[in-house]
Amino acid sequence: MKKHSARVAPLSACNSPVLTLTKVEGEERPRDSPGPAEAQAPAGAEAGGRTSHRCWRCSRAQLKKIFWGVAVVLCVCSSWAGSTQIAKLTFRKFDAPFTLTWFATNWNFLFFPLYYVGHVCKSSEKQSVKQRYRECCRFFGDNGLTLKVFFTKAAPFGVLWTLTNYLYLHAIKKINTTDVSVLFCCNKAFVFLLSWIVLRDRFMGVRIVAAILAIAGIVMMTYADGFHSHSVIGIALVVGSASMSALYKVLFKLLLGSAKFGEAALFLSILGVFNVLFITCIPIILYFTKVEYWSSFDDIPWGNLCGFSVLLLTFNIVLNFGIAVTYPTLMSVGIVLSVPVNAVVDHYTSKIVFNGVRVIAIIIIGLGFLLLLLPEEWDVWLIKLLTRLKVRKKEETAEGAADQGSGPQSKNRRARPSFAR
């Protein structure tokens, strides 16, 4: 059995997944030679038994992965939609999006402790916290996590993380959650465009079409509300949040590459430490300048703040580490499914109008997002599938012609077994 090691790119709190799976080759266990009884068995029966056993084992493994995929999709969808709705409720009593961003980001510190608990429970070779920390620090270079590395390789991502979340939460104040969630799906198109320009990724025509659909959806969403200043500002904030998210992903891949699970957990915990040390001063300044002001600490809805933070932490944990149990594409589908969930909630709790333009914009952006989920070799697979279907059709046509030309004698010979039964 081959050992696999997954490497992931840590995502920002409002990101769709960009995951890189790297397989580490290992030694295969040699198969035992068959015993005397097996050697005397007919070759056809042996091959058939092995094939059926292998198919059953593969189907069980695939079913298990699909089951976990459904669970992950539901978890991603519910946590993302739930955090968005709780943020909307929080702003009715606590109008402070940056403070909410700072409070939720502090919970990132829990990533590495939670990962270490999982490591102790599952790993056969248990390491101490210090040993595991030092091993994960190799991700930053031979010298580990130095002060220079902290400011050059961690601090910029901490700023991008904060901007991504703040712009997203500030947009929720301006427009409804349905528009916010669907417009943020455009970040995957921005990731493709930036990767194509900066990382020189492979050009794919279908992804260019998806990017065009995303831009068209943004324009149509703006037109749906009549280009009012309030909605235009909200849409601009969401697009800015999606852009910061895309920049976060592309820069991470450019500067740091990919990370194992432990390295990703440590990196995200470091972002939480950066938030406590260097971002804490900003909510304090906003409070005393009364930009984000509340009368007393007793009036703060702590339940909403903690609920939002827990759901956002759950979303990021599943999004970053769900690749261990299922396919990355399924996790992306969970983000798309959060859009209709938010639409249903908005329909019953707000005065949103689902006119034709808005519905078409949602469909266009969703279609563009799904097109971006296609693998790079999708055209090769499609050609192979069409070729197989064409060959099978020719074989069936040739068999039909042979049956027609065989005469009544061959038909009677084929009919005998059926009469014998």
Side-chain angles (χ1 to χ4, degrees):
M1 183 180 295
K2 290 186 178 182
K3 298 181 181 178
H4 299 279
S5 175
R7 299 179 70 87
V8 300
L11 312 174
S12 72
C14 300
N15 272 350
S16 59
V18 173
L19 301 168
T20 306
L21 184 63
T22 304
K23 295 183 179 179
V24 178
E25 295 184 358
E27 295 180 359
E28 288 189 354
R29 183 181 298 175
R31 295 182 179 178
D32 297 333
S33 58
E38 293 177 355
Q40 294 174 2
E46 182 181 358
R50 287 186 179 180
T51 303
S52 61
H53 179 68
R54 188 178 302 170
C55 291
W56 167 246
R57 187 171 58 187
C58 291
S59 63
R60 279 189 65 183
Q62 290 175 353
L63 286 174
K64 184 178 179 181
K65 204 162 188 178
I66 291 173
F67 171 78
W68 277 109
V70 173
V72 167
V73 166
L74 293 176
C75 189
V76 169
C77 177
S78 58
S79 60
W80 184 232
S83 62
T84 303
Q85 294 297 329
I86 290 179
K88 190 77 172 179
L89 291 174
T90 303
F91 293 144
R92 296 178 182 177
K93 300 179 181 178
F94 185 71
D95 188 9
F98 195 93
T99 304
L100 181 60
T101 301
W102 170 83
F103 181 81
T105 307
N106 289 336
W107 290 58
N108 277 18
F109 180 77
L110 297 174
F111 268 100
F112 190 74
L114 291 174
Y115 161 76
Y116 182 74
V117 171
H119 164 75
V120 171
C121 294
K122 295 194 67 176
S123 178
S124 57
E125 299 178 359
K126 296 178 175 57
Q127 297 176 319
S128 64
V129 178
K130 191 174 182 180
Q131 290 174 335
R132 197 64 193 162
Y133 171 78
R134 286 180 175 177
E135 185 173 335
C136 293
C137 277
R138 296 176 185 174
F139 171 67
F140 296 101
D142 297 334
N143 297 326
L145 183 61
T146 62
L147 197 62
K148 180 181 178 181
V149 169
F150 178 81
F151 283 105
T152 56
K153 293 188 177 181
F157 295 101
V159 174
L160 290 174
W161 180 288
T162 302
L163 287 175
T164 299
N165 287 274
Y166 170 68
L167 293 174
Y168 185 87
L169 293 175
H170 196 65
I172 294 176
K173 288 177 53 183
K174 301 290 185 180
I175 56 179
N176 57 75
T177 57
T178 303
D179 293 353
V180 172
S181 59
V182 72
L183 286 170
F184 190 81
C185 290
C186 296
N187 80 316
K188 204 164 184 65
F190 298 158
V191 169
F192 163 68
L193 293 175
L194 284 175
S195 299
W196 180 39
I197 296 171
V198 178
L199 303 178
R200 305 296 182 183
D201 280 2
R202 176 187 172 189
F203 173 82
M204 291 182 64
V206 68
R207 294 187 178 179
I208 288 292
V209 173
I212 294 173
L213 290 176
I215 296 171
I218 294 172
V219 175
M220 292 185 69
M221 192 67 73
T222 309
Y223 177 75
D225 287 331
F227 291 97
H228 296 301
S229 60
H230 201 67
S231 62
V232 170
I233 292 174
I235 291 172
L237 289 171
V238 184
V239 174
S241 175
S243 302
M244 293 298 103
S245 172
L247 185 60
Y248 175 101
K249 294 182 193 179
V250 174
L251 283 181
F252 187 93
K253 191 173 181 180
L254 178 66
L255 299 178
L256 299 174
S258 57
K260 296 179 182 178
F261 290 132
E263 296 166 350
L266 178 62
F267 181 82
L268 293 169
S269 292
I270 290 172
L271 294 187
V273 173
F274 172 82
N275 185 72
V276 173
L277 295 178
F278 298 99
I279 306 296
T280 304
C281 59
I282 299 178
I284 296 175
I285 294 173
L286 294 176
Y287 174 79
F288 285 106
T289 56
K290 295 189 177 182
V291 176
E292 291 186 358
Y293 182 79
W294 54 93
S295 56
S296 65
F297 285 91
D298 295 333
D299 296 333
I300 298 177
W302 292 107
N304 288 350
L305 264 67
C306 293
F308 171 78
S309 301
V310 169
L311 286 176
L312 202 57
L313 181 66
T314 304
F315 172 77
N316 281 286
I317 289 174
V318 176
L319 203 62
N320 282 280
F321 308 121
I323 188 178
V325 294
T326 188
Y327 305 101
T329 304
L330 289 177
M331 294 185 290
S332 299
V333 172
I335 297 176
V336 178
L337 292 178
S338 67
V339 175
V341 174
N342 285 320
V344 171
V345 175
D346 284 346
H347 177 70
Y348 289 102
T349 60
S350 64
K351 298 180 180 179
I352 184 174
V353 178
F354 288 100
N355 53 27
V357 178
R358 175 174 273 110
V359 172
I360 293 173
I362 292 174
I363 294 174
I364 286 177
I365 294 175
L367 179 61
F369 188 92
L370 294 176
L371 287 177
L372 288 165
L373 296 181
L374 291 174
E376 291 187 358
E377 298 83 8
W378 73 274
D379 50 346
V380 178
W381 294 351
L382 183 60
I383 292 172
K384 288 183 179 179
L385 178 62
L386 294 176
T387 304
R388 287 180 181 178
L389 292 175
K390 191 174 181 180
V391 170
R392 185 176 297 177
K393 190 175 180 181
K394 287 183 178 179
E395 290 176 353
E396 291 176 354
T397 304
E399 289 179 359
D403 291 341
Q404 290 178 2
S406 60
Q409 185 176 359
S410 62
K411 290 183 181 179
N412 292 334
R413 289 179 181 175
R414 285 196 195 92
R416 285 178 185 175
S418 64
F419 284 118
R421 292 173 191 162

